[in-house]
């Protein structure tokens, strides 16, 4: 009954460090998404994937990379973290045209 | 261009009052989907409703109701007899586009505070 699982839930980085957020879904969904949530700005799409081996840019892709090597996993990478990337990150999955199922979020702070 | 606007940043009501959250959307596509999500203080995103562009019937689910009007490009959400547990951030979202990627465009969110 896991649904969408994000790891880690919390992380503090120093400027310039790199890290990877992992999203795993057990619903056999084709579509997966990474959003970031900032105060007063709602959720903004970073990258998304319409199937295994595919990725595409969303609204705010700069500074992030993604990979979808396995259908159930969608990784979000920060190669050189910046304070502007301090945010709450949400992963989601779906099977069209259904609603998106979201993970619990990952809070990232970049000092 | 596609856009969702939730003009109300914060709303504060007293318990048992009715409250309406506004949502205005923009899209040139004739086929699209509209959503409402709730984000309680615990932070998770809870799906409330999905409505497609061909179904303008209003929907009621318990104390919740939704009014979809294509003529004004609005999809408003009303909570009747609000309760403290309704305190949350509410997001309206739009999914549109011929590429059918399912990605959602979110409004800025409306923070609802229900006071006892």
């Amino acid at each position: 009954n896991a649904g969408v699982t994000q790891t880690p839930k919390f992380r503090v980085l120093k400027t310039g460090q790199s890290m990877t957020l992992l999203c795993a879904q057990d619903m056999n969904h084709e579509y997966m998404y990474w959003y970031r949530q900032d105060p007063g700005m709602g959720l903004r799409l970073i990258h998304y994937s319409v199937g295994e081996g595919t990725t595409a840019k969303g609204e705010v892709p700069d500074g992030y990379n993604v990979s979808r090597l396995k259908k159930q996993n969608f990784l979000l990478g920060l190669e050189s973290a910046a304070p502007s990337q301090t945010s709450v990150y949400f992963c989601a999955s779906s099977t069209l045209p259904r609603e998106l199922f979201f993970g619990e979020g990952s809070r990232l702070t970049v000092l | 261009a596609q856009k969702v606007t939730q003009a109300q940043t914060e709303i504060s009501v007293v318990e048992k009052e009715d409250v309406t959250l506004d949502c205005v959307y923009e899209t040139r596509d004739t086929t699209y989907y509209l959503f409402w999500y709730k984000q309680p203080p615990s932070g998770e995103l809870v799906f409330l409703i999905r409505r497609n562009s061909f179904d303008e019937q209003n929907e009621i689910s318990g104390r919740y109701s939704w009014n979809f009007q294509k003529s004004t490009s609005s999809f408003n959400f009303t909570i009747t007899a609000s309760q403290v547990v309704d305190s949350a951030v509410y997001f309206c979202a739009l999914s549109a586009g011929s590429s059918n990627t399912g990605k959602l465009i979110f409004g800025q969110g409306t923070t609802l505070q229900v006071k006892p």
Side-chain angles (χ1 to χ4, degrees), chain B residues 8 12 17 25 37 75 107 111:
Chain B
Q8 304 152 308
S12 181
E17 285 186 25
Y25 62 92
Y37 280 84
F75 186 42
T111 300

Side-chain angles (χ1 to χ4, degrees), chain B residues 13-113:
Chain B
V13 299
V14 177
E15 204 169 21
K16 297 184 182 179
E17 285 186 25
D18 298 347
V19 58
T20 295
L21 309 181
D22 297 333
C23 174
V24 174
Y25 62 92
E26 296 177 27
T27 180
R28 293 183 179 180
D29 293 289
T30 56
T31 301
Y32 52 89
Y33 296 86
L34 295 163
F35 302 78
W36 277 95
Y37 280 84
K38 174 182 179 180
Q39 186 176 44
S42 51
E44 73 273 22
L45 287 155
V46 179
F47 165 75
L48 296 178
I49 190 171
R50 176 183 66 122
R51 175 67 69 203
N52 73 57
S53 53
F54 299 108
D55 183 1
E56 285 194 76
Q57 282 191 341
N58 291 333
E59 179 151 343
I60 298 174
S61 176
R63 296 183 296 106
Y64 294 171
S65 62
W66 290 269
N67 182 8
F68 177 28
Q69 290 194 336
K70 290 177 73 171
S71 60
T72 56
S73 297
S74 64
F75 186 42
N76 296 337
F77 173 30
T78 297
I79 302 174
T80 302
S82 60
Q83 299 177 0
V84 173
V85 294
D86 295 326
S87 297
V89 181
Y90 291 87
F91 291 100
C92 180
L94 166 70
S95 177
S98 57
S99 59
N100 199 26
T101 60
K103 54 185 178 179
L104 298 188
I105 297 168
F106 284 82
Q108 302 91 321
T110 297
T111 300
L112 174 64
Q113 183 181 34

Side-chain angles (χ1 to χ4, degrees), chain A residues 31 33 35 37 96-97 99-100, chain B residues 37 39 50 100-102 104:
Chain A
Y31 299 81
Y33 314 85
Y35 284 87
Q37 182 179 15
L96 298 184
E99 68 274 16
L100 270 58
Chain B
Y37 280 84
Q39 186 176 44
R50 176 183 66 122
N100 199 26
T101 60
L104 298 188

Side-chain angles (χ1 to χ4, degrees), chain A:
Chain A
N1 204 24
V4 179
T5 303
Q6 295 180 223
T7 52
K9 299 289 191 295
F10 301 93
R11 184 74 187 270
V12 178
L13 289 177
K14 294 182 179 178
T15 297
Q17 288 185 318
S18 63
M19 75 158 295
T20 300
L21 293 173
L22 170 63
C23 177
Q25 54 97 1
D26 61 3
M27 296 173 283
N28 201 34
H29 287 170
E30 287 293 334
Y31 299 81
M32 296 187 75
Y33 314 85
W34 275 108
Y35 284 87
R36 60 177 288 174
Q37 182 179 15
D38 302 293
M41 304 188 74
L43 282 83
R44 294 179 293 168
L45 183 64
I46 305 171
H47 285 281
Y48 63 99
S49 169
V50 299
E52 181 178 316
T54 75
T55 63
K57 294 180 179 180
E59 180 186 356
V60 289
D62 293 344
Y64 305 95
N65 56 74
V66 288
S67 64
R68 183 99 181 267
L69 298 180
K70 293 183 178 181
K71 185 177 183 179
Q72 63 268 32
N73 296 338
F74 195 30
L75 279 64
L76 178 70
L78 285 73
E79 289 188 350
S80 179
S84 60
Q85 294 177 304
T86 293
S87 188
V88 180
Y89 293 85
F90 285 95
C91 177
S93 70
S94 78
T95 177
L96 298 184
R98 298 286 305 278
E99 68 274 16
L100 270 58
F101 294 83
F102 284 88
E104 295 181 339
S106 297
R107 185 174 296 275
L108 173 65
T109 301
V110 183
L111 302 176

